[in-house]
Amino acid sequence: MMICYITFRSITGAQMGERLLNQFGITHVLMRTPAPMTKKGCGYALRLKSRDLDFAVEQFRLNQVPYQRLFGDLGDGIVEDLGV
Amino acid sequence: MIYLDNSATTYPKPPSVSQAVSYAMTHYGSPGRGGHRLAMAGAEAVYDCRCQVAELFACKPNQVVFTANATHGLNIAISSLVGLGDKVVVSGFEHNAVMRPLYGLKAQVTVVGLNLFDWDVTIESFRAAITSDIKAVICTHISNVYGYVLPIQEIGEMCRSHGVPFIVDCAQSAGVLPVSMENWGANFVAMAGHKGLYGPQGTGILLCQDGWKPLLRGGTGSLSKEMDMPVFLPDGLEPGTPNVPGICGLGAGISHLKTIGFDTPYMREEKLIQYAIARLKEREDITLYEGDHQAGVLSMTFAHRDCEDVAEILSREGIATRAGFHCAPLAHESGGTYGTGTLRISPGIYNTMGDIDRFVQALSLAETL
């Protein structure tokens, strides 16, 4: 798995996460949440390399960044729900 | 034009404010809706301002809700906490932005702290009125009529000890005096963006703790398939396309204050108010409303002239002041000017002692016309 997604209900939450990733120099893209990762409609996500996921989530928890769920991109449009 | 009506809205704005507004209108799309470059640039700019506000008022970015003005924020706060016929305690210096929503809710309103510039009486009267069955205490930080700075810290402590929610109206104080939702133990702090923060008109901020309820409902760019409003901030209180140019201008206004120093407005205004008092004190035909705990505003009445007459004459002389009841009849009732209204001057960061001299000189003219 090369690419992971951290989803957020709100763009403000995603931006809080983005600023934190910037502080640590973690490469990422802030984007709209792909449809397979959201049952309730629009949201935003941070796309990053899977090697950075654990560190990013740890920092989000430490800094109370309100992320929603984690997903992995298995390729060919298949995504895996990695939970919270 | 000598502008002494900064309590209505600050004027002029720093040049960077209109530049930011213009830039936003030509470079940004709708934030929090799409994922394209313009939308994301707009979202980035709005979030920058949200972070600036959060830093200035020591809260988290998602506790910062952008509103159209302080009135909008106060309506959100009041409708979140006060139901039909509920008991509420307010100060004697509240604006109609507080009193009209309470009237609309048929709230049982206890008005306390009627003594102008008197903290002892104010504190004691709040202490006597705050009981655990009160749904909210609402207090202005600075009276827009008299510049009376109320003892918010002390009132907040009383609310905390009784478990009563506290709403603070900082329309006049944000950017002038320190404002802290956390230190005051306030549930909501509402403020204008276009006054002491030097943003454009049509901007405001509401700082929120838990316990909020949506005033408006609509699209937020989040959880679109759900019919209920989001239960998280700021989305739950910011439906509809935000005022991106205004918010960007507000950010520029705050940046300007940071550059000149956040204590500069208060110090400058205080100096000018004291100078005006010194120059007018000998005039027996003018009653000045001044005392301890005053900031940014000086009200006055005239023995032989109506306030509106004087304001009109001053306007013809190129001096902008505000006369009348300032949308705060309760404050006038408390301060003893309900029958006449007052003429109010409120200097800002661009005023000088020379402006006060011209004002005093023009007042002499008003007396002779």
Side-chain angles (χ1 to χ4, degrees):
Chain A
M1 185 193 306
M2 295 298 293
I3 299 297
C4 288
Y5 295 83
I6 305 174
T7 64
F8 296 82
R9 298 180 297 185
S10 145
I11 190 164
T12 306
Q15 288 172 313
M16 291 167 78
E18 183 183 42
R19 296 284 162 105
L20 204 55
L21 295 187
N22 283 338
Q23 279 179 29
F24 291 106
I26 295 175
T27 306
H28 63 275
V29 175
L30 171 59
M31 58 182 288
R32 299 274 287 173
T33 305
M37 299 177 202
T38 172
K39 291 176 184 168
K40 294 181 177 179
C42 306
Y44 283 80
L46 290 167
R47 188 175 68 199
L48 67 168
K49 291 179 177 162
S50 58
R51 67 170 188 229
D52 294 323
L53 183 66
D54 288 346
F55 180 78
V57 169
E58 185 187 350
Q59 291 305 318
F60 289 177
R61 286 179 180 150
L62 284 173
N63 292 280
Q64 298 174 307
V65 174
Y67 72 92
Q68 197 174 18
R69 293 192 79 78
L70 311 176
F71 292 89
D73 185 343
L74 302 175
D76 293 331
I78 302 168
V79 293
E80 182 183 10
D81 187 342
L82 302 174
V84 295
Chain B
M1 162 72 75
I2 291 173
Y3 187 81
L4 293 171
D5 194 18
N6 288 276
S7 285
T9 194
T10 45
Y11 176 91
K13 308 295 183 188
S16 58
V17 172
S18 54
Q19 287 162 11
V21 170
S22 176
Y23 189 88
M25 292 181 75
T26 50
H27 290 78
Y28 298 146
S30 184
R33 302 302 193 269
H36 57 80
R37 192 172 53 82
L38 287 183
M40 296 307 272
E44 180 82 0
V46 169
Y47 188 68
D48 278 341
C49 183
R50 211 183 289 283
C51 289
Q52 278 181 284
V53 173
E55 186 185 348
L56 178 58
F57 299 117
C59 63
K60 291 178 191 165
N62 58 355
Q63 291 180 299
V64 175
V65 172
F66 291 118
T67 59
N69 42 51
T71 299
H72 180 194
L74 285 164
N75 272 265
I76 292 172
I78 290 168
S79 63
S80 292
L81 297 174
V82 182
L84 205 63
D86 279 347
K87 290 182 180 175
V88 175
V89 173
V90 304
S91 86
F93 295 91
E94 298 309 308
H95 190 275
N96 276 349
V98 168
M99 299 311 293
R100 283 182 169 167
L102 292 177
Y103 181 82
L105 287 164
K106 297 181 171 55
Q108 299 177 57
V109 181
T110 302
V111 181
V112 297
L114 307 175
N115 294 42
L116 192 53
F117 303 123
D118 188 336
W119 271 28
D120 291 340
V121 170
T122 299
I123 290 169
E124 282 317 306
S125 61
F126 269 96
R127 197 185 306 283
I130 298 174
T131 51
S132 55
D133 61 335
I134 299 296
K135 296 297 180 188
V137 170
I138 310 171
C139 190
T140 187
H141 190 189
I142 299 181
S143 161
N144 69 313
V145 177
Y146 303 106
Y148 174 30
V149 182
L150 281 98
I152 295 298
Q153 184 73 47
E154 289 78 358
I155 297 167
E157 283 165 13
M158 289 176 221
C159 290
R160 211 165 0 192
S161 70
H162 286 85
V164 174
F166 187 30
I167 300 170
V168 188
D169 175 2
C170 290
Q172 297 299 331
S173 62
V176 178
L177 293 178
V179 166
S180 173
M181 180 168 64
E182 188 178 350
N183 289 347
W184 293 340
N187 298 64
F188 295 97
V189 175
M191 60 189 81
H194 63 99
K195 298 187 181 191
L197 297 175
Y198 285 86
Q201 293 175 55
T203 60
I205 295 165
L206 180 66
L207 308 180
C208 299
Q209 299 283 8
D210 292 337
W212 54 271
K213 290 177 188 165
L215 181 69
L216 301 174
R217 290 173 168 77
T220 58
S222 50
L223 307 183
S224 309
K225 292 179 179 174
E226 293 202 329
M227 286 299 101
D228 283 333
M229 283 294 287
V231 294
F232 49 87
L233 292 175
D235 300 36
L237 293 178
E238 289 186 357
T241 303
N243 176 7
V244 178
I247 291 167
C248 291
L250 173 57
I254 294 171
S255 292
H256 182 76
L257 290 178
K258 194 171 185 178
T259 303
I260 65 171
F262 286 114
D263 52 356
T264 298
Y266 172 78
M267 289 193 301
R268 179 174 287 265
E269 290 169 18
E270 173 67 7
K271 192 173 162 187
L272 294 172
I273 292 286
Q274 290 307 321
Y275 183 58
I277 290 170
R279 295 258 357 233
L280 293 170
K281 211 158 192 172
E282 301 309 315
R283 291 276 300 262
E284 289 181 358
D285 55 327
I286 298 177
T287 301
L288 297 175
Y289 296 84
E290 47 114 359
D292 293 337
H293 312 297
Q294 187 172 17
V297 170
L298 178 64
S299 254
M300 61 198 77
T301 52
F302 306 91
H304 311 301
R305 281 275 185 182
D306 179 75
C307 295
E308 295 285 7
D309 272 348
V310 176
E312 195 274 327
I313 292 165
L314 290 171
S315 177
R316 274 193 271 141
E317 293 299 309
I319 299 171
T321 60
R322 169 94 183 264
F325 298 95
H326 313 92
C327 299
L330 176 62
H332 283 283
E333 204 174 337
S334 302
T337 53
Y338 190 78
T340 59
T342 62
L343 181 123
R344 176 187 80 179
I345 62 168
S346 49
I349 57 173
Y350 295 112
N351 287 116
T352 64
M353 306 277 248
D355 292 344
I356 301 298
D357 287 334
R358 282 279 311 281
F359 165 71
V360 172
Q361 195 180 4
L363 272 186
S364 301
L365 183 66
E367 280 302 293
T368 57
L369 284 175

